[in-house]
Structures are given as structure tokens and as C-alpha cells.
Amino acid sequence: MRRFISLIHRYVGLIMAIFLLIAGLTGAILAWYHELDAVLNPRLMQIQAPSSDVQPLNPFVLQERVKVHYPDAWVNYISLNHHPGKSALFFLEGAIDPVTGESIDLPNDEVFLNPYTGEILGERKWAAITQGWHNLLPFIYTLHHSLALGDLGMLFMGIIAVLWTVDCFIGACLTFPASQRNQSLLNNVLSFGKRWWKAWKIRWSASPYKLNFDLHRAGGLWLWVMLFVFAWSSVAFNLNEVYHPVMQRMFSMQPDQEEIIPQLPVMQVDPGLSWPAALEIARSQMASLAEKKGFSIRYENSLGYNPYTGVFRYQVLSDRDVGETFAGTNIFFDANTGRLVGFFLPTGEANGDTITTWLMVLHTAAIWGISFKIFITFVGLFVTVLSATGIYIWWKKRHARLINEQRRAAAITNATST
């Protein structure tokens, strides 16, 4: 059985190796996504306030300016959380062409504005590396998430994530010491910890093979929890069709409002409510929900409209969220009547959603500040080390096996000839 499990670990690891190398390297960079993106794009993302007492323009004023400048685009998302020293970002969606019925392919889908004057600072097509270096970080993100291959790449990386999740347990099992046949079951159990402790050690002065073997085995043990977090959360990001049913069987889960809200028979391009009126309704409904569920609101994050369902989504960061940047407290309400149609609380409402929220936050290093970003960078780099050492161990064993086979063949040939 141990040999069979070892073979599974070996060949599953080889299948995953190159993709985990890519995911580990890109993940180490993406821990600093916003910081690096701002460094590469200071003209787009950094702005100096005219004076300390000047307030940014109303986000709805900025939204209207974007709409005027891009008449072929929908602007259905507004950020409500302005950060001093940063530009205002708007996302564009291609409007539906009345002739073809298809969404218009826009040359750019991100617009950066001076929040104090409304001046357009620049634009880009997210992740289109052909536009230049200002798209480097979004492109690295698509490499990490989907190998920059769209839906097909996302599915493929989801399958890799499932294999990785299973292999986390297989790899851990292989570090367990073999049962000693000359000892009783009780003695084996009592000595288990002492014998297993050897697997946690690294022989730094050993031969290259032993050092690589120890780095692979001991490193995987010391970082096992985070490796599992990365693997299983990657399934959530890329293959929710697997993640959600598994979690739903083991834990309670809230309904996914964005999935269960039905689409309209005919798309509604503009909401019946004005955006300012919708925001007032959203604030009132969120305050009522907070009082009912016993949570407090820290700040507003965004207001978005879905023309395919005719529903607004209002998002805030509350004390049900984990950390200070991962805003996941949502309400959904009818864009014509203001009727509340659903809500989602990231923690405290259902165990499965609480676990999922923590997985997402840990995966994206959205908690505990710069120290955790550094740790996640280290873990991402170590994922590449695990892949590289796994390949090295396989190659050395294969090389040794081939030499032994050649020696046996030569011995048989010599014996036959004599």
C-alpha cells in the first residue's frame, strides 16, 4: 500500500510540478499586487490632493463624467471607499450592440480619474500585456489564476488544485514512519512521535540528494497547513463546482445570492432607481440588517448594478469581515423598487462561509499587514522549491534505476556468453 501511495504522489507531483512552479512564483509576487502596480503606474494610480481640506468629488459625478467620455460603455460599479493619495478607478463593460446582440469589445476596460478634478489620468485593458508594462501585474494575476488562457486555463488550474489538495494528504501520510514488525502495536504507537520527528529535520550538510529530499519532506511538513490553505482555496477560486458541494456536505452554507437571483427575461440596461437614491436605500437596509444581525459597519466599499438581473449589490466592510481590506458584507436589492432580495455575511452566519472567507483572506494575504505578506511571499517561493526538489528526487531515482537495469542486463549478457 505504501508503495502504491508513493507512486501516486510521485506521478501526481510530476503532473503538477510545472504549474505549481508558475503558481508559486506568481503568487509570491501577487502578495504585493497593489503596491507593485502602484509603483509601475504612478501616473495612473497616485494623485496629490490640491490641499489638505479639499474633498474628492462625489463618486456619482465621476461616474457621469466617465459615461460621457465612453458612450459605448456601461459603468455599473462605483467604489465608495476613497483612499487619500490614490486615483479613482472605474470599470467599463461593453454595451450591447443592437445589431449583433453581443457586448461591444472595448479597447480599454479600466479608467483612472483624478478624484478631485474628474480629469481622466489614463486607461488600460486589464491584463493585456501587449499594451505595455503598465499591465504587468494584471497579466501576472491571469498567469497565476488561469495560465492567461481564459476559462480553459481556469478549469485546468482548478483540476491541478484538486490534485494538489489530495496530494497534501498523500504527502503527509508518506512522512509517517513505517511500522516496526518486531514490535507490538502499542510500542509502535508509543514510539511513533519519536520516529516521525526525523521527518521534520533537514540535514543541511548531507549530500545534494539527501538535502533535496529533506527540503521536500520536512518543508512540506512545516508548511503543511498553508500549503493546504493554498490548495483548497484554489479549488474555491477556480472550480467552485467541486468546492461548494464538498463544503455544503460538511458545513452549513448561505445561499449564493448572485447565483440564485434569476435573470430577467429582457435585460434592463439602466436601473429604475437613480444611483444616489439606490445608495440611500442601501444604507438604510444595511443599517437595519446590522441591527438585526448584531454587527457594525466600518466603511462603505462599493455599489454595483447588474443589468441582467435588475439588482443592485451594496458592499461594506463590517466586523463580520476578516481583516481591514477584504470587504464581503453584501446586500442585494431590486433596482426598481428597492426591495431587499438577499444578503451575505462572510462570517458568523454559516460555518462553511466563515471557513471560506478565512481561506480567501489567507490566500490573498489580506490580513495581518506587511509581516503576513512577507510570510506568504516565502510560502509562494517555497512552493516552487517543493516542485523543483520533487522533480530532482524523481530524476535521481530514475537515473539510479536505469543504471541498475543496465548493470543487470550486462550481468545477464556476461553470464549467457560464458
Side-chain angles (χ1 to χ4, degrees):
M1 178 59 70
R2 189 178 182 87
R3 177 177 174 80
F4 175 70
I5 293 175
S6 180
L7 286 173
I8 293 176
H9 179 67
R10 180 185 306 167
Y11 291 109
V12 167
L14 287 173
I15 291 170
M16 298 187 301
I18 186 64
F19 305 106
L20 292 186
L21 278 168
I22 295 171
L25 287 173
T26 55
I29 296 170
L30 291 176
W32 309 92
Y33 179 95
H34 296 292
E35 293 86 350
L36 293 175
D37 205 20
V39 169
L40 290 175
N41 299 288
R43 183 181 64 85
L44 295 178
M45 299 183 181
Q46 299 178 28
I47 199 74
Q48 186 68 37
S51 63
S52 59
D53 59 342
V54 173
Q55 296 298 314
L57 296 173
N58 187 296
F60 300 122
V61 172
L62 298 176
Q63 180 193 36
E64 288 303 319
R65 294 194 181 184
V66 174
K67 285 182 176 180
V68 170
H69 198 83
Y70 301 92
D72 291 332
W74 291 340
V75 187
N76 287 328
Y77 176 92
I78 294 179
S79 174
L80 301 172
N81 181 29
H82 175 256
H83 296 275
K86 294 187 178 181
S87 61
L89 171 61
F90 284 85
F91 303 100
L92 307 179
E93 298 177 65
I96 300 298
D97 188 322
V99 177
T100 64
E102 300 291 329
S103 177
I104 296 172
D105 185 23
L106 300 173
N108 295 288
D109 51 21
E110 285 188 327
V111 182
F112 301 86
L113 280 74
N114 184 323
Y116 303 100
T117 66
E119 173 195 0
I120 293 178
L121 302 174
E123 56 192 24
R124 69 181 178 185
K125 183 82 169 180
W126 193 81
I129 193 63
T130 53
Q131 287 189 347
W133 288 102
H134 64 284
N135 255 326
L136 178 61
L137 266 297
F139 178 71
I140 290 175
Y141 178 90
T142 62
L143 274 179
H144 181 79
H145 187 246
S146 63
L147 300 175
L149 296 175
D151 291 341
L152 182 61
M154 182 176 172
L155 172 63
F156 185 79
M157 290 299 278
I159 294 171
I160 293 296
V162 172
L163 293 175
W164 189 15
T165 302
V166 174
D167 196 53
C168 280
F169 293 95
I170 292 175
C173 287
L174 288 173
T175 68
F176 296 162
S179 177
Q180 296 178 339
R181 295 182 179 180
N182 60 339
Q183 291 190 8
S184 65
L185 176 61
L186 178 61
N187 287 333
N188 269 295
V189 171
L190 292 175
S191 65
F192 176 85
K194 183 178 180 180
R195 289 181 290 127
W196 191 34
W197 175 240
K198 295 179 182 179
W200 294 74
K201 297 180 180 180
I202 298 176
R203 295 165 289 183
W204 295 105
S205 59
S207 66
Y209 175 80
K210 290 181 179 179
L211 177 59
N212 276 272
F213 182 83
D214 287 352
L215 283 171
H216 189 80
R217 181 177 63 175
L221 281 172
W222 283 108
L223 295 175
W224 190 90
V225 172
M226 281 309 305
L227 295 175
F228 174 73
V229 165
F230 278 164
W232 188 229
S233 59
S234 296
V235 179
F237 280 122
N238 284 57
L239 206 59
N240 196 49
E241 299 87 341
V242 172
Y243 177 86
H244 194 267
V246 171
M247 292 295 287
Q248 205 168 30
R249 279 187 170 273
M250 297 189 296
F251 307 102
S252 60
M253 303 281 285
Q254 297 170 88
D256 189 329
Q257 296 295 330
E258 291 182 299
E259 290 186 2
I260 66 173
I261 295 174
Q263 290 200 353
L264 298 172
V266 179
M267 179 179 55
Q268 183 179 337
V269 175
D270 296 309
L273 296 167
S274 69
W275 282 77
L279 180 58
E280 291 305 313
I281 291 172
R283 287 169 173 168
S284 175
Q285 291 182 342
M286 184 64 79
S288 298
L289 182 66
E291 183 178 0
K292 178 182 178 181
K293 294 292 184 178
F295 65 85
S296 59
I297 300 167
R298 296 176 181 173
Y299 62 75
E300 295 180 303
N301 188 67
S302 64
L303 179 67
Y305 170 66
N306 187 338
Y308 298 96
T309 60
V311 167
F312 275 110
R313 181 177 78 163
Y314 176 62
Q315 187 176 67
V316 303
L317 187 135
S318 74
D319 59 8
R320 291 290 189 93
D321 287 286
V322 177
E324 295 294 328
T325 60
F326 198 86
T329 304
N330 296 278
I331 61 169
F332 304 85
F333 60 96
D334 190 286
N336 298 311
T337 66
R339 178 180 60 86
L340 183 69
V341 297
F343 66 88
F344 180 87
L345 300 180
T347 65
E349 193 72 9
N351 293 336
D353 295 313
T354 298
I355 294 170
T356 301
T357 297
W358 272 100
L359 288 174
M360 300 298 183
V361 168
L362 292 172
H363 188 119
T364 56
I367 193 173
W368 300 325
I370 190 171
S371 58
F372 193 66
K373 287 179 181 287
I374 293 171
F375 175 67
I376 290 299
T377 300
F378 169 75
V379 176
L381 292 174
F382 197 78
V383 169
T384 68
V385 172
L386 284 175
S387 298
T389 53
I391 293 172
Y392 176 81
I393 293 167
W394 166 79
W395 179 77
K396 289 292 288 184
K397 286 185 174 181
R398 180 177 182 275
H399 182 67
R401 186 173 66 254
L402 290 175
I403 290 176
N404 288 334
E405 289 176 356
Q406 290 171 359
R407 287 174 178 172
R408 283 198 297 269
I412 293 172
T413 301
N414 292 335
T416 303
S417 60
T418 57

